[in-house]
Amino acid sequence: MNPTIDYHALAPEIVLTVTVAVCLLVDLVARRSELVPRLASLGVLGAIVPVITLSVDGANRTMFGGTYEVDNYALVFKGLFLIVAYLTILVSFHYIGEGDYYRGEFYVLLLTSVLGMTVMASARDLVTIFVALETITIPTFALAAWRKHDTKSNEAGLKYFLIGVISTAVMLYGMSVVYGVSGANKLVGIREYLVDTNEPALFAVGVFLTLVGFAFKVSAVPFHFWAPDTYEGAPTPVTAFLSVASKAGGFVALITIVNIAFFPSKGSWQPVIFVLAAASMTLGNLAALRQTNIVRMLAYSSVAQGGFMLVPLAVAADVSSNSAWEGVVVYLLIYAGMNLGAFAAVIAVARRTGSAEISSYAGLGRTDPALAVMMTIFLFSLAGIPFLAGWFAKLVMFRAAFDSGTTGAVILGVVAAINAVIAFFYYAGVGRQMWFREPDPAVERTAVPTPLTLNAAMLIVTVGVLALGVYPQAIARLGELAFTPG
Amino acid sequence: MDLNAFLILAAVLFCIGIYGVLARRNGVLVLMSVELMLNAVNINLIAFSAYVQDVSGQVFALFVITIAAAEVGVGLAIVMLIYRNLRSPDLDKIDQLKG
C-alpha cells in the first residue's frame, strides 16, 4: 500500500529541505560565503509562497493516515515561523558575517530548525510531534554554542543541551504512558479514548510528565532556570531565534496536544497549566526587575510573557467558545514580532557600545534617536501600552480569563494584572535610561552605521507593531481562522 | 504477558538515569545517564505496544533510538568543545553564567 502524497500540501517543507541541501552544497563549493545567507532567505521566502496558495485554496489536507494535517491552524503557524526565520536571517547577516563564525553551516542549522517548526504545525500524532520537536531543538544546541572559543557560549550550549535532552526524556516517558493507557498514537485517538472511558490515575501521570517536558521547552517556571544563562551566552541572533521561534514551536506543540488530545481529561492538565502560568508570570517578572544585563532581562521577561500566554490555555476548558484558544494564538503571534524586534535593537546597540548592560543604554535617545524610538516601541509593546500590538495581546488574554468566570480564572486574571504592572517598571526602566539619562562618557562608542539588513528587520517589526496596535482586527481574524475548520 | 514487570524495570532504569544526570560530574557519564532514561522509554513503549496489540509503539521506539543517536552526537561535540577550552570534562567548572 502506497501512501498518497499531496505535494502541494507538503510544498513549504519540500522547499525548505531543498534550500537546506543547496545551502550545504554551495557552502562546500563556493568560496563566497555571502551566497549562503542570500540563498537561505530566498528559500524561506519561497516557502511562504505555497503557504499563501494553500491558505487561498482553504481545503483541509490530511495525509499519512491522519498523522499530518495541513489546515488553517497549521498554515497560520507555518506563516509565522517562516516570517520569523526570514527576520532572523536579516538580523544574523552581519553579526555572523563579521564575527569569528562558521557562516554557511549557521544558516543550514537555522533552516533545519525552521523545517522542524513547519512540521510541528501539522503534526497530529505523538511520534510526529516528538520528531518535529527534536528537529527544532537539536540544531539549536549547536547554534547556542556557536562561538567555539568563547567559554560562555560553550556553557550556554551545554546547559541548553542538558536541559533539552532531560526534558525530552521526561516528555517521552510521559508520552509512552499516555500511549500505553490510551492505546492510541494519534491525538484524535487519545481524545476518543478519553471520551469513551474513565481514564485511570496512571493517565494523569503521563499527562503530567508530558507537560513538564513541554514546560522545559517553553521555559515556564519552575523549569526556566536554563533560559537566562543560555540566552546570555549564546550569540544574540541565536538568542532572538530561541526566545521567539523555538519557544513558539514548544507552544504550538502544547496547544495542539492539549486542544486535540488531552482536552476531555480536564482534571489532569488544567491544574498543571494553571500553576505554570501563575508561577511563570510572577517569578519571571520579579527576577527581571533586578537584572542589569538587558539580554538577561529580556530572558526573564520572555519567561513572564510565556506565563501570560499560558493564561488563556489554563482557562480554555471553562470557555465555551474558541476565544481562549484564539487568545493563545494571537498572543503568540504578537509576542514573536515584538520580542524579535527588541533583540534586533539589542544587537544594533551592542554594535556601537560592545555592551549589553542596561547602563550602556544611557543617552541613546540623544546619540541615536531612531534606534531609541524603535527600542522604546518594542519595549512598550511588550509592556502592553495601548495602541501598540502588545496591548491587544494582553487584552485578549484578560478577556479569556474573565470571560470564563470561574474563581480560579478570575484569580489568574488578577495575578496577570498585577504582573502586567510590575513588568511595566523594568521595561520603562530601559526607556528612562535611553531618554532621561546623560550618555555615560566611560562607555566607548564606535560610529559604525547600523547595517541595512538589521535596520530592515527592525523597520518591518516596528511597522507591524504599530499597524496591529491600531488595527488589531487583522490579527484577531488570523486567530479566528486558525480554529475555523476549512 | 506480565506488563508490570516491564513497567517496573523501565521506571527503575528511568530513576537511575535521573540520579545519574543529577549526581554525575563528568560530561560523558551524564550523557550515558540520559541514554538510560531514553532506553527506559523504549522499554515502556515496546511493552505497551505488545500489550495493546498496536504496532505504532514499536515505530515510536525506533524513532526514539534514531533521534537519541543524533542528540548524543551533538552532545558529545559540545562536551568535546568544552574539554578543548577547559582541559576538563568536569561540569562543575562551567559556572560563568549566573544571576
Side-chain angles (χ1 to χ4, degrees):
Chain A
M1 184 186 81
N2 282 323
T4 45
I5 296 176
D6 181 348
Y7 286 101
H8 188 194
L10 285 176
E13 286 83 358
I14 294 172
V15 172
L16 274 179
T17 314
V18 170
T19 313
V20 167
V22 169
C23 284
L24 205 55
L25 273 179
V26 166
D27 184 49
L28 195 68
V29 180
R31 289 258 160 227
R32 284 183 55 235
S33 56
E34 270 194 10
L35 211 56
V36 177
R38 286 173 208 275
L39 277 173
S41 54
L42 270 181
V44 170
L45 290 180
I48 294 180
V49 175
V51 172
I52 295 171
T53 57
L54 281 167
S55 51
V56 169
D57 182 58
N60 274 4
R61 295 153 186 266
T62 309
M63 271 168 289
F64 310 122
T67 62
Y68 200 87
E69 203 164 298
V70 182
D71 49 10
N72 287 334
Y73 172 80
L75 288 173
V76 166
F77 282 120
K78 280 179 204 218
L80 168 75
F81 292 140
L82 291 170
I83 291 168
V84 168
Y86 181 70
L87 291 174
T88 311
I89 293 173
L90 284 184
V91 168
S92 313
F93 187 77
H94 281 87
Y95 191 99
I96 300 298
E98 288 163 4
D100 172 26
Y101 298 108
Y102 290 85
R103 203 169 185 188
E105 290 89 340
F106 181 88
Y107 297 98
V108 171
L109 290 178
L110 191 76
L111 287 193
T112 312
S113 186
V114 175
L115 175 64
M117 290 168 195
T118 53
V119 173
M120 175 63 85
S122 291
R124 295 292 180 272
D125 74 333
L126 295 177
V127 181
T128 316
I129 286 182
F130 161 65
V131 172
L133 204 60
E134 291 307 290
T135 318
I136 294 172
T137 44
I138 293 179
T140 53
F141 297 150
L143 289 178
W146 206 245
R147 277 193 296 229
K148 275 178 78 175
H149 304 292
D150 177 9
T151 45
K152 274 191 181 176
S153 182
N154 293 350
E155 182 177 344
L158 183 75
K159 280 186 174 162
Y160 188 41
F161 169 74
L162 286 177
I163 293 302
V165 286
I166 295 165
S167 67
T168 302
V170 172
M171 180 194 79
L172 279 175
Y173 197 85
M175 281 183 171
S176 75
V177 172
V178 168
Y179 163 73
V181 173
S182 67
N185 173 35
K186 279 181 225 163
L187 299 184
V188 185
I190 298 172
R191 189 192 188 107
E192 277 164 11
Y193 165 82
L194 289 174
V195 170
D196 295 342
T197 351
N198 216 344
E199 69 273 16
L202 187 62
F203 184 81
V205 175
V207 170
F208 176 75
L209 290 176
T210 311
L211 293 182
V212 166
F214 284 127
F216 270 112
K217 303 273 178 208
V218 302
S219 62
V221 176
F223 309 104
H224 68 293
F225 44 83
W226 59 274
D229 288 356
T230 300
Y231 286 9
E232 186 189 347
T236 321
V238 176
T239 306
F241 184 70
L242 287 180
S243 77
V244 172
S246 104
K247 192 170 184 135
F251 259 103
V252 172
L254 194 59
I255 301 170
T256 315
I257 206 165
V258 171
N259 186 7
I260 302 179
F262 298 160
F263 193 76
S265 169
K266 183 178 140 186
S268 64
W269 60 269
Q270 203 182 23
V272 184
I273 304 272
F274 187 93
V275 172
L276 288 177
S280 301
M281 287 187 292
T282 315
L283 294 177
N285 272 330
L286 291 179
L289 270 178
R290 54 181 175 78
Q291 298 303 322
T292 56
N293 181 304
I294 192 144
V295 177
R296 288 191 84 85
M297 190 205 91
L298 285 174
Y300 280 112
S301 115
S302 89
V303 170
Q305 299 276 353
F308 286 130
M309 264 178 258
L310 287 171
V311 170
L313 197 60
V315 301
D318 302 318
V319 183
S320 51
S321 68
N322 274 332
S323 67
W325 296 106
E326 289 162 18
V328 191
V329 173
V330 166
Y331 204 113
L332 197 54
L333 296 177
I334 292 176
Y335 162 81
M338 57 197 185
N339 213 46
L340 198 66
F343 273 108
V346 168
I347 293 170
V349 174
R351 283 177 67 85
R352 307 279 174 82
T353 60
S355 163
E357 292 301 311
I358 294 177
S359 57
S360 73
Y361 282 69
L364 188 71
R366 203 156 308 161
T367 52
D368 192 339
L371 185 56
V373 166
M374 286 195 278
M375 185 63 170
T376 313
I377 289 176
F378 302 143
L379 290 175
F380 278 19
S381 176
L382 280 165
I385 304 288
F387 307 116
L388 295 168
W391 160 75
F392 184 68
K394 288 267 185 336
L395 184 79
V396 289
M397 185 263 293
F398 283 122
R399 199 168 55 195
F402 291 113
D403 265 5
S404 75
T406 59
T407 328
V410 172
I411 293 174
L412 205 56
V414 172
V415 173
I418 296 170
N419 273 297
V421 176
I422 300 176
F424 178 73
F425 280 101
Y426 59 82
Y427 292 126
V430 180
R432 199 183 56 200
Q433 288 282 349
M434 289 192 292
W435 296 105
F436 299 118
R437 288 274 187 282
E438 294 298 315
D440 183 0
V443 178
E444 260 180 62
R445 281 181 189 74
T446 43
V448 280
T450 308
L452 180 68
T453 49
L454 194 52
N455 264 334
M458 284 192 287
L459 262 179
I460 293 172
V461 178
T462 310
V463 169
V465 166
L466 289 176
L468 290 179
V470 181
Y471 186 67
Q473 290 89 333
I475 202 104
R477 179 86 190 105
L478 270 186
E480 253 170 57
L481 261 181
F483 292 98
T484 316
Chain B
M1 192 188 82
D2 189 6
L3 180 66
N4 282 340
F6 291 95
L7 296 190
I8 290 168
L9 171 68
V12 170
L13 264 184
F14 194 77
C15 292
I16 295 174
I18 289 184
Y19 172 77
V21 166
L22 297 177
R24 285 289 166 186
R25 290 291 149 247
N26 186 309
V28 179
L29 288 177
V30 170
L31 286 181
M32 288 172 67
S33 305
V34 169
E35 282 294 293
L36 274 186
M37 293 168 79
L38 290 174
N39 281 318
V41 172
N42 286 338
I43 293 175
N44 242 358
L45 282 172
I46 293 165
F48 277 133
S49 167
Y51 183 73
V52 298
Q53 302 283 316
D54 174 63
V55 79
S56 63
Q58 294 168 41
V59 176
F60 203 156
L62 280 177
F63 274 103
V64 173
I65 293 170
T66 318
I67 284 177
E71 217 161 33
V72 170
V74 174
L76 272 178
I78 293 175
V79 172
M80 275 285 287
L81 196 64
I82 285 171
Y83 184 77
R84 273 198 198 133
N85 287 333
L86 296 179
R87 291 274 140 216
S88 156
D90 187 348
L91 299 182
D92 277 351
K93 289 189 178 162
I94 305 162
D95 56 356
Q96 293 185 340
L97 300 167
K98 285 180 198 137

